[in-house]
Amino acid sequence: MTEQGVINKIGSYTAALAAREHGVPVWAIAVRRKLLPGGTAALGIVEMPPAEIWENAPEGVRPRNVYFEMVPAALLRGVVVEDGVLGATECAVAARDRALPEELAAAFRA
């Protein structure tokens, strides 16, 4: 979770949009250690090889193969964490203000 939203498996954004259209609240579930500042380089969504989903795509067609996507915080009612429930605003502040864990910070200094 970042101040922008939750990174989750592909299809989560569409499910959250459908839930909104039907008046169904959406909650994310995470542990607090997964709250990270949005500018963290490790949070980039990696594009995988297109051939994994369409080996011989026609010329001019390039499938986009991603495993994860961002679900905007505006689509969430809140985030359930190990010690309670954070509203979208509270979660955004906690993610933005959290220091990057040393193991991630060290990986980007190398």
Side-chain angles (χ1 to χ4, degrees):
M1 174 80 188
T2 74
E3 59 271 26
Q4 289 91 29
V6 172
I7 296 174
N8 204 30
K9 300 231 187 230
I10 199 77
S12 300
Y13 182 50
T14 303
L17 287 171
R20 181 186 65 187
E21 291 301 308
H22 292 281
V24 176
V26 176
W27 300 85
I29 299 173
V31 293
R32 282 187 180 267
R33 68 181 173 81
K34 290 193 174 187
L35 298 173
L36 294 170
T40 303
L43 296 178
I45 295 175
V46 177
E47 200 150 333
M48 304 306 286
E52 283 185 356
I53 56 175
W54 197 349
E55 193 169 317
N56 296 308
E59 187 174 328
V61 175
R62 185 181 182 279
R64 186 163 183 245
N65 184 12
V66 292
Y67 298 166
F68 297 93
E69 65 188 353
M70 175 68 74
V71 178
L75 294 176
L76 302 174
R77 177 71 56 89
V79 179
V80 179
V81 293
E82 60 271 33
D83 60 346
V85 178
L86 303 175
T89 302
E90 184 181 12
C91 197
V93 169
R96 186 184 64 239
D97 292 346
R98 182 168 185 251
L100 192 59
E102 181 53 37
E103 59 272 14
L104 280 178
F108 295 108
R109 286 193 296 265

mmCIF file of all heavy atoms in Angstrom, residues 51-73:
data_model
loop_
_atom_site.group_PDB
_atom_site.id
_atom_site.type_symbol
_atom_site.label_atom_id
_atom_site.label_comp_id
_atom_site.label_asym_id
_atom_site.label_seq_id
_atom_site.Cartn_x
_atom_site.Cartn_y
_atom_site.Cartn_z
ATOM 1 N N ALA A 51 5.196 -12.993 -24.877
ATOM 2 C CA ALA A 51 5.014 -14.358 -25.370
ATOM 3 C C ALA A 51 4.408 -15.293 -24.323
ATOM 4 O O ALA A 51 3.885 -16.347 -24.669
ATOM 5 C CB ALA A 51 6.345 -14.919 -25.857
ATOM 6 N N GLU A 52 4.462 -14.900 -23.043
ATOM 7 C CA GLU A 52 3.834 -15.731 -22.010
ATOM 8 C C GLU A 52 2.324 -15.842 -22.216
ATOM 9 O O GLU A 52 1.726 -16.827 -21.818
ATOM 10 C CB GLU A 52 4.091 -15.143 -20.619
ATOM 11 C CG GLU A 52 5.456 -15.395 -20.082
ATOM 12 C CD GLU A 52 5.603 -14.893 -18.647
ATOM 13 O OE1 GLU A 52 4.673 -14.280 -18.088
ATOM 14 O OE2 GLU A 52 6.687 -15.115 -18.093
ATOM 15 N N ILE A 53 1.723 -14.823 -22.809
ATOM 16 C CA ILE A 53 0.274 -14.871 -22.996
ATOM 17 C C ILE A 53 -0.156 -15.037 -24.451
ATOM 18 O O ILE A 53 -1.269 -15.460 -24.723
ATOM 19 C CB ILE A 53 -0.421 -13.645 -22.373
ATOM 20 C CG1 ILE A 53 0.144 -12.349 -22.926
ATOM 21 C CG2 ILE A 53 -0.322 -13.677 -20.872
ATOM 22 C CD1 ILE A 53 -0.583 -11.120 -22.440
ATOM 23 N N TRP A 54 0.736 -14.708 -25.398
ATOM 24 C CA TRP A 54 0.408 -14.884 -26.812
ATOM 25 C C TRP A 54 1.717 -15.055 -27.558
ATOM 26 O O TRP A 54 2.363 -14.089 -27.943
ATOM 27 C CB TRP A 54 -0.381 -13.705 -27.335
ATOM 28 C CG TRP A 54 -1.104 -13.948 -28.632
ATOM 29 C CD1 TRP A 54 -0.978 -15.008 -29.482
ATOM 30 C CD2 TRP A 54 -2.065 -13.082 -29.220
ATOM 31 N NE1 TRP A 54 -1.807 -14.867 -30.547
ATOM 32 C CE2 TRP A 54 -2.495 -13.686 -30.421
ATOM 33 C CE3 TRP A 54 -2.603 -11.857 -28.853
ATOM 34 C CZ2 TRP A 54 -3.435 -13.095 -31.246
ATOM 35 C CZ3 TRP A 54 -3.540 -11.280 -29.682
ATOM 36 C CH2 TRP A 54 -3.960 -11.889 -30.860
ATOM 37 N N GLU A 55 2.087 -16.307 -27.773
ATOM 38 C CA GLU A 55 3.399 -16.618 -28.321
ATOM 39 C C GLU A 55 3.614 -16.085 -29.734
ATOM 40 O O GLU A 55 4.676 -15.579 -30.065
ATOM 41 C CB GLU A 55 3.641 -18.126 -28.296
ATOM 42 C CG GLU A 55 5.084 -18.491 -28.540
ATOM 43 C CD GLU A 55 5.346 -19.951 -28.247
ATOM 44 O OE1 GLU A 55 4.835 -20.451 -27.229
ATOM 45 O OE2 GLU A 55 6.055 -20.570 -29.043
ATOM 46 N N ASN A 56 2.630 -16.197 -30.590
ATOM 47 C CA ASN A 56 2.771 -15.767 -31.980
ATOM 48 C C ASN A 56 1.747 -14.688 -32.307
ATOM 49 O O ASN A 56 0.914 -14.858 -33.199
ATOM 50 C CB ASN A 56 2.624 -16.961 -32.933
ATOM 51 C CG ASN A 56 3.726 -17.983 -32.735
ATOM 52 O OD1 ASN A 56 4.892 -17.630 -32.751
ATOM 53 N ND2 ASN A 56 3.353 -19.229 -32.525
ATOM 54 N N ALA A 57 1.835 -13.597 -31.608
ATOM 55 C CA ALA A 57 0.892 -12.493 -31.833
ATOM 56 C C ALA A 57 1.069 -11.957 -33.260
ATOM 57 O O ALA A 57 2.176 -11.927 -33.786
ATOM 58 C CB ALA A 57 1.131 -11.385 -30.825
ATOM 59 N N PRO A 58 -0.027 -11.539 -33.889
ATOM 60 C CA PRO A 58 0.073 -10.987 -35.242
ATOM 61 C C PRO A 58 0.938 -9.728 -35.271
ATOM 62 O O PRO A 58 1.085 -9.035 -34.259
ATOM 63 C CB PRO A 58 -1.372 -10.629 -35.585
ATOM 64 C CG PRO A 58 -2.221 -11.314 -34.581
ATOM 65 C CD PRO A 58 -1.375 -11.570 -33.381
ATOM 66 N N GLU A 59 1.493 -9.432 -36.426
ATOM 67 C CA GLU A 59 2.310 -8.243 -36.579
ATOM 68 C C GLU A 59 1.504 -7.009 -36.183
ATOM 69 O O GLU A 59 0.332 -6.878 -36.534
ATOM 70 C CB GLU A 59 2.775 -8.108 -38.033
ATOM 71 C CG GLU A 59 3.770 -6.989 -38.214
ATOM 72 C CD GLU A 59 4.333 -6.958 -39.631
ATOM 73 O OE1 GLU A 59 4.453 -8.030 -40.248
ATOM 74 O OE2 GLU A 59 4.642 -5.857 -40.086
ATOM 75 N N GLY A 60 2.133 -6.129 -35.436
ATOM 76 C CA GLY A 60 1.469 -4.915 -34.979
ATOM 77 C C GLY A 60 0.721 -5.082 -33.668
ATOM 78 O O GLY A 60 0.200 -4.118 -33.117
ATOM 79 N N VAL A 61 0.647 -6.311 -33.159
ATOM 80 C CA VAL A 61 -0.037 -6.567 -31.884
ATOM 81 C C VAL A 61 1.021 -6.940 -30.861
ATOM 82 O O VAL A 61 1.810 -7.865 -31.074
ATOM 83 C CB VAL A 61 -1.072 -7.714 -32.015
ATOM 84 C CG1 VAL A 61 -1.665 -8.044 -30.654
ATOM 85 C CG2 VAL A 61 -2.144 -7.358 -33.014
ATOM 86 N N ARG A 62 1.060 -6.209 -29.752
ATOM 87 C CA ARG A 62 2.002 -6.520 -28.680
ATOM 88 C C ARG A 62 1.217 -6.648 -27.382
ATOM 89 O O ARG A 62 0.800 -5.644 -26.798
ATOM 90 C CB ARG A 62 3.065 -5.438 -28.533
ATOM 91 C CG ARG A 62 4.115 -5.823 -27.490
ATOM 92 C CD ARG A 62 5.172 -4.742 -27.319
ATOM 93 N NE ARG A 62 6.167 -5.155 -26.370
ATOM 94 C CZ ARG A 62 6.031 -5.082 -25.043
ATOM 95 N NH1 ARG A 62 4.929 -4.618 -24.522
ATOM 96 N NH2 ARG A 62 7.008 -5.471 -24.250
ATOM 97 N N PRO A 63 0.976 -7.878 -26.950
ATOM 98 C CA PRO A 63 0.246 -8.061 -25.686
ATOM 99 C C PRO A 63 1.000 -7.422 -24.530
ATOM 100 O O PRO A 63 2.232 -7.421 -24.502
ATOM 101 C CB PRO A 63 0.210 -9.578 -25.515
ATOM 102 C CG PRO A 63 0.467 -10.131 -26.873
ATOM 103 C CD PRO A 63 1.345 -9.130 -27.566
ATOM 104 N N ARG A 64 0.271 -6.863 -23.622
ATOM 105 C CA ARG A 64 0.874 -6.283 -22.421
ATOM 106 C C ARG A 64 0.685 -7.280 -21.292
ATOM 107 O O ARG A 64 -0.448 -7.618 -20.932
ATOM 108 C CB ARG A 64 0.198 -4.958 -22.084
ATOM 109 C CG ARG A 64 0.880 -4.274 -20.939
ATOM 110 C CD ARG A 64 0.519 -2.811 -20.857
ATOM 111 N NE ARG A 64 1.279 -2.242 -19.770
ATOM 112 C CZ ARG A 64 0.745 -1.758 -18.670
ATOM 113 N NH1 ARG A 64 -0.560 -1.720 -18.542
ATOM 114 N NH2 ARG A 64 1.509 -1.280 -17.716
ATOM 115 N N ASN A 65 1.774 -7.756 -20.742
ATOM 116 C CA ASN A 65 1.747 -8.825 -19.757
ATOM 117 C C ASN A 65 2.244 -8.313 -18.407
ATOM 118 O O ASN A 65 3.431 -8.193 -18.181
ATOM 119 C CB ASN A 65 2.621 -9.984 -20.252
ATOM 120 C CG ASN A 65 2.582 -11.179 -19.329
ATOM 121 O OD1 ASN A 65 1.761 -11.274 -18.434
ATOM 122 N ND2 ASN A 65 3.498 -12.103 -19.536
ATOM 123 N N VAL A 66 1.308 -8.004 -17.533
ATOM 124 C CA VAL A 66 1.652 -7.567 -16.178
ATOM 125 C C VAL A 66 0.924 -8.463 -15.184
ATOM 126 O O VAL A 66 -0.172 -8.934 -15.445
ATOM 127 C CB VAL A 66 1.298 -6.079 -15.932
ATOM 128 C CG1 VAL A 66 2.182 -5.163 -16.744
ATOM 129 C CG2 VAL A 66 -0.160 -5.805 -16.215
ATOM 130 N N TYR A 67 1.554 -8.711 -14.064
ATOM 131 C CA TYR A 67 0.958 -9.551 -13.032
ATOM 132 C C TYR A 67 0.262 -8.725 -11.953
ATOM 133 O O TYR A 67 -0.608 -9.226 -11.253
ATOM 134 C CB TYR A 67 2.019 -10.407 -12.348
ATOM 135 C CG TYR A 67 2.766 -11.391 -13.215
ATOM 136 C CD1 TYR A 67 3.919 -11.990 -12.742
ATOM 137 C CD2 TYR A 67 2.344 -11.738 -14.495
ATOM 138 C CE1 TYR A 67 4.629 -12.908 -13.502
ATOM 139 C CE2 TYR A 67 3.045 -12.649 -15.269
ATOM 140 C CZ TYR A 67 4.182 -13.238 -14.763
ATOM 141 O OH TYR A 67 4.892 -14.142 -15.513
ATOM 142 N N PHE A 68 0.689 -7.470 -11.801
ATOM 143 C CA PHE A 68 0.162 -6.618 -10.740
ATOM 144 C C PHE A 68 -0.268 -5.274 -11.309
ATOM 145 O O PHE A 68 0.180 -4.874 -12.375
ATOM 146 C CB PHE A 68 1.233 -6.391 -9.653
ATOM 147 C CG PHE A 68 1.640 -7.658 -8.971
ATOM 148 C CD1 PHE A 68 2.729 -8.397 -9.412
ATOM 149 C CD2 PHE A 68 0.929 -8.130 -7.882
ATOM 150 C CE1 PHE A 68 3.108 -9.579 -8.795
ATOM 151 C CE2 PHE A 68 1.287 -9.313 -7.254
ATOM 152 C CZ PHE A 68 2.381 -10.033 -7.721
ATOM 153 N N GLU A 69 -1.143 -4.590 -10.557
ATOM 154 C CA GLU A 69 -1.613 -3.273 -10.956
ATOM 155 C C GLU A 69 -1.941 -2.461 -9.707
ATOM 156 O O GLU A 69 -2.068 -3.009 -8.614
ATOM 157 C CB GLU A 69 -2.850 -3.382 -11.849
ATOM 158 C CG GLU A 69 -4.056 -3.980 -11.136
ATOM 159 C CD GLU A 69 -5.218 -4.275 -12.061
ATOM 160 O OE1 GLU A 69 -5.176 -3.905 -13.233
ATOM 161 O OE2 GLU A 69 -6.179 -4.900 -11.588
ATOM 162 N N MET A 70 -2.085 -1.155 -9.892
ATOM 163 C CA MET A 70 -2.425 -0.261 -8.789
ATOM 164 C C MET A 70 -3.943 -0.116 -8.713
ATOM 165 O O MET A 70 -4.597 0.190 -9.709
ATOM 166 C CB MET A 70 -1.785 1.108 -9.009
ATOM 167 C CG MET A 70 -2.157 2.157 -7.979
ATOM 168 S SD MET A 70 -1.524 1.857 -6.325
ATOM 169 C CE MET A 70 0.190 2.244 -6.556
ATOM 170 N N VAL A 71 -4.486 -0.325 -7.522
ATOM 171 C CA VAL A 71 -5.895 -0.043 -7.246
ATOM 172 C C VAL A 71 -5.909 1.282 -6.486
ATOM 173 O O VAL A 71 -5.385 1.362 -5.374
ATOM 174 C CB VAL A 71 -6.555 -1.159 -6.402
ATOM 175 C CG1 VAL A 71 -7.998 -0.817 -6.102
ATOM 176 C CG2 VAL A 71 -6.432 -2.506 -7.101
ATOM 177 N N PRO A 72 -6.452 2.345 -7.085
ATOM 178 C CA PRO A 72 -6.416 3.658 -6.437
ATOM 179 C C PRO A 72 -7.096 3.659 -5.067
ATOM 180 O O PRO A 72 -8.132 3.015 -4.864
ATOM 181 C CB PRO A 72 -7.182 4.554 -7.415
ATOM 182 C CG PRO A 72 -7.124 3.847 -8.719
ATOM 183 C CD PRO A 72 -7.103 2.382 -8.396
ATOM 184 N N ALA A 73 -6.506 4.398 -4.144
ATOM 185 C CA ALA A 73 -7.039 4.490 -2.785
ATOM 186 C C ALA A 73 -8.486 4.980 -2.765
ATOM 187 O O ALA A 73 -9.260 4.598 -1.895
ATOM 188 C CB ALA A 73 -6.151 5.402 -1.943
#
